[in-house]
Amino acid sequence: LVLSLAWLGPALGDEDKDEEVVEEEEKEKKEDEVLSDEIKEEDNVLVLHEHNFARALSEHQLLLVEFYAPWCGHCQQLAPAFAQAATELRNESSPARLGKVDATAQTALATEFGITSYPTLKLFRDGNRTHPLAYTGRMDSQGIVRWMQRRAGPSATLLQDTDTAAAFVSSQDLVVVGFFKDLRGEAAQAFFEVAAEMVDMTFGVAEAAELFQAYGLSADTVCLFKKFDERQTNFSVDPARGLDTAELTQQLRVHSLQLVMEFTNETSNQIFGAKIPHHMLLFLNKSSSEQLSLRDGFRAAAGGFRGEVLFVVVDVTGHGADVLPFFGMTPADAPTLRLVKMENNRKYRMEQDNFSDSAIRTFIRAVLDGKVKPHLLSAEPPKDWDTRPVKVLVGKTFEQVAFDETKNVFVKFYAPWCPHCQAMAAAWEELAERYKDREDIVIAEMDSTANELENITIHGFPTLHYFPAGPGRKMVEFKSTRDVETFSKFLDNGGTLPVEPPVSEVREQPPCPGQSPAPAG
């Protein structure tokens, strides 16, 4: 939310004239400060503007700059973590420093670096002003520190003999080692790039012939060493294609996960960060030994789908309890299975749960081959769903209402928790009241967190769709200002807005993202 603050005060008497003089002096003092290239600090964060920015770049080899807006809630949330990271880096005498720019005041800098959203973080290296690097790490203090440390020093530890290599491999549950014949070659350089980005993993690099021999390698290879599942996974470097950084990153993400994950607060970021296209979920009650035994068949089915389907166990009495409403489930429904297609949150279920490994494999293959229809949620229609001005739709009734060829139907797809939906609720009610006597127009709404449609995917809230009368199952998305008058012009003009000369720029408020409780979105 953007807060506009108006400062109001009387303008009476000599006392106010004195205040005006003081204010003018303060203003001139601030202008003098801004014009100086002096660099001040707040909580070890450099305070930057257009007059000291060049000096900051020249004095600091690695400078991560946050471009922020004072009113931005995300910026305010980031501020303590950013300051803590700045303090940690300074205390360890790192060449990396953090700075900040008020992009709403320093418009020249905001324009120069293409700042369009807040906060935006950019890394400036060796004084280079023309090609800053976008920040890709986590937005917390440890994430920022690790990301900067990887760029301040070598991103991978050089392993020179078998003893240091063995100690390195056994030092943690998971480490990555790149074996390269030439550490100055393109493949090794690409490996260093991956290591710099994946700050949550530990990387080593080896060039010595004795290490190639010790680990049974004859060509450039990246090895993932784990203390679980497969102990060693090798990714050979194609001599013709070289090493693709995006491909290696995805392979490491996928194979760093356990074959079967348990959904917890600690693992949720890993589960979704791997970007595996399907999730197979086993919902069970961990307090039941009988249900716990179902994990054996679940695990046996997982091996053939690594990278394509992620297998996740969800405890319905633990962390997983919060996601049950997203599936229309209660703890009493456990044990049960669901497969989720992550790109659209479509859910699939067996006609009757069968927990054997062969049945699970057969079911997954049928879903992947498009032979199973999604399982769609639907609430029960309220008894008075069509007696109020705003008609209340559910999954079961949507088709008959929205695609009634005699009606023009305007539907709001919303989420009960969405503040934008709550803000426009009154306008939607007023619109329905205005058109309640029109036989050819229906104003409706549907709770998209409790109802799903096979051919319509809602990505954000509120989403407004207009379904015109007539054949053809047409649908038009409304994307303009969300107020009663604009809605009315849209309806009176048959589902389009009349072209009007622009008076001023209108910025549409972005929708709430279609948040789905993990593990399905």
Side-chain angles (χ1 to χ4, degrees):
L1 299 177
V2 180
L3 300 180
S4 297
L5 302 179
W7 294 90
L8 303 177
L12 301 173
D14 292 336
E15 182 179 338
D16 292 323
K17 290 181 182 179
D18 292 339
E19 289 178 1
E20 289 175 7
V21 171
V22 171
E23 287 176 4
E24 190 64 31
E25 289 174 351
E26 288 293 327
K27 182 179 178 182
E28 290 175 359
K29 182 179 178 182
K30 287 182 179 179
E31 287 177 351
D32 289 340
E33 290 176 356
V34 169
L35 289 172
S36 167
D37 70 349
E38 180 185 357
I39 301 175
K40 295 192 173 182
E41 298 185 16
E42 292 178 0
D43 298 323
N44 293 309
V45 177
L46 310 181
V47 180
L48 306 176
H49 47 74
E50 60 182 298
H51 299 290
N52 67 8
F53 200 84
R55 176 179 172 182
L57 293 185
S58 68
E59 292 182 356
H60 301 289
Q61 179 187 355
L62 288 171
L63 181 61
L64 181 66
V65 179
E66 176 201 2
F67 294 86
Y68 72 97
W71 45 260
C72 165
H74 294 301
C75 302
Q76 295 164 7
Q77 187 176 1
L78 175 63
F82 200 69
Q84 183 178 340
T87 301
E88 288 187 34
L89 289 169
R90 187 161 193 184
N91 288 345
E92 65 184 35
S93 301
S94 169
R97 292 298 306 272
L98 306 189
K100 62 181 180 180
V101 171
D102 179 352
T104 64
Q106 302 300 318
T107 54
L109 290 177
T111 301
E112 179 181 354
F113 300 114
I115 306 304
T116 58
S117 61
Y118 312 110
T120 294
L121 277 63
K122 291 182 180 288
L123 176 68
F124 296 84
R125 184 189 290 273
D126 298 323
N128 187 320
R129 186 168 182 146
T130 57
H131 294 89
L133 180 68
Y135 177 77
T136 55
R138 299 198 321 254
M139 289 297 215
D140 59 60
S141 61
Q142 283 308 303
I144 294 170
V145 169
R146 288 178 184 171
W147 197 84
M148 293 297 284
Q149 286 172 335
R150 283 288 171 93
R151 281 150 183 81
S155 58
T157 301
L158 179 61
L159 308 176
Q160 296 181 325
D161 53 50
T162 53
D163 289 341
T164 56
F168 182 81
V169 167
S170 63
S171 64
Q172 297 187 43
D173 288 345
L174 185 149
V175 298
V176 184
V177 180
F179 294 83
F180 299 97
K181 297 292 181 69
D182 179 8
L183 293 184
R184 291 164 297 282
E186 290 184 7
Q189 295 307 307
F191 176 79
F192 289 131
E193 287 181 30
V194 172
E197 286 296 326
M198 302 186 73
V199 298
D200 53 340
M201 292 187 189
T202 301
F203 286 77
V205 68
E207 186 180 31
E210 66 173 295
L211 291 177
F212 274 80
Q213 184 177 356
Y215 289 93
L217 306 173
S218 59
D220 288 359
T221 306
V222 176
C223 298
L224 176 64
F225 296 96
K226 300 181 289 186
K227 293 183 179 179
F228 54 88
D229 297 339
E230 318 94 324
R231 298 292 167 161
Q232 179 177 337
T233 305
N234 295 347
F235 307 103
S236 300
V237 178
D238 188 317
R241 291 177 57 240
L243 193 154
D244 184 282
T245 56
E247 186 178 306
L248 178 61
T249 298
Q250 180 62 9
Q251 288 175 328
L252 292 175
R253 287 279 179 226
V254 168
H255 287 270
S256 67
L257 298 175
Q258 294 185 23
L259 191 59
V260 176
M261 300 287 292
E262 181 174 350
F263 178 62
T264 66
N265 188 48
E266 291 74 28
T267 62
S268 60
N269 284 336
Q270 286 180 281
I271 289 170
F272 301 116
K275 294 181 170 53
I276 295 175
H278 304 87
H279 289 182
M280 184 66 189
L281 312 177
L282 169 59
F283 293 89
L284 53 76
N285 186 330
K286 287 185 70 176
S287 63
S288 164
S289 59
E290 183 181 354
Q291 292 190 25
L292 278 176
S293 68
L294 300 176
R295 293 182 300 182
D296 296 336
F298 192 65
R299 181 179 181 80
F305 295 98
R306 189 185 274 280
E308 190 174 19
V309 180
L310 179 62
F311 282 61
V312 183
V313 173
V314 182
D315 180 12
V316 297
T317 59
H319 188 65
D322 292 338
V323 308
L324 295 179
F326 176 71
F327 293 90
M329 291 166 45
T330 68
D333 292 311
T336 188
L337 297 161
R338 295 290 187 277
L339 190 145
V340 182
K341 187 176 289 187
M342 299 303 290
E343 67 175 358
N344 55 16
N345 279 335
R346 289 286 179 262
K347 308 172 192 69
Y348 300 83
R349 64 178 296 183
M350 294 180 176
E351 289 186 13
Q352 186 169 355
D353 281 319
N354 184 330
F355 300 96
S356 70
D357 59 317
S358 59
I360 292 172
R361 280 194 294 266
T362 300
F363 170 68
I364 293 174
R365 185 49 57 194
V367 172
L368 299 184
D369 292 342
K371 297 177 181 178
V372 181
K373 284 195 170 185
H375 173 68
L376 302 173
L377 293 179
S378 177
E380 291 299 320
K383 291 182 180 179
D384 61 344
W385 73 270
D386 62 344
T387 62
R388 293 177 288 176
V390 177
K391 312 306 177 188
V392 180
L393 305 185
V394 296
K396 297 176 180 178
T397 61
F398 182 84
E399 285 276 326
Q400 70 186 64
V401 176
F403 294 109
D404 183 339
E405 295 185 2
T406 68
K407 310 285 187 185
N408 298 293
V409 184
F410 201 12
V411 183
K412 175 184 71 173
F413 298 88
Y414 73 98
W417 47 258
C418 164
H420 301 314
C421 302
Q422 295 162 6
M424 70 164 283
W428 202 246
E429 291 286 347
E430 184 180 339
L431 180 72
E433 190 69 33
R434 183 177 293 189
Y435 287 89
K436 67 179 181 181
D437 296 326
R438 287 280 297 269
E439 290 292 327
D440 61 327
I441 290 179
V442 174
I443 308 300
E445 66 182 12
M446 190 175 87
D447 177 357
S448 288
T449 65
N451 300 278
E452 297 171 323
L453 304 171
E454 185 169 359
N455 297 313
I456 301 174
T457 302
I458 305 302
H459 297 288
F461 305 115
T463 292
L464 308 177
H465 282 313
Y466 175 78
F467 301 85
R473 297 172 64 87
K474 296 177 183 176
M475 181 176 75
V476 178
E477 184 172 1
F478 177 89
K479 289 186 174 181
S480 187
T481 308
R482 297 193 288 257
D483 60 44
V484 177
E485 295 309 317
T486 308
F487 292 152
S488 295
K489 290 177 183 178
F490 178 78
L491 290 172
D492 294 342
N493 203 46
T496 61
L497 283 171
V499 178
E500 298 178 356
V503 177
S504 61
E505 182 183 1
V506 176
R507 292 186 180 270
E508 182 187 357
Q509 195 171 26
C512 288
Q515 294 178 358
S516 305

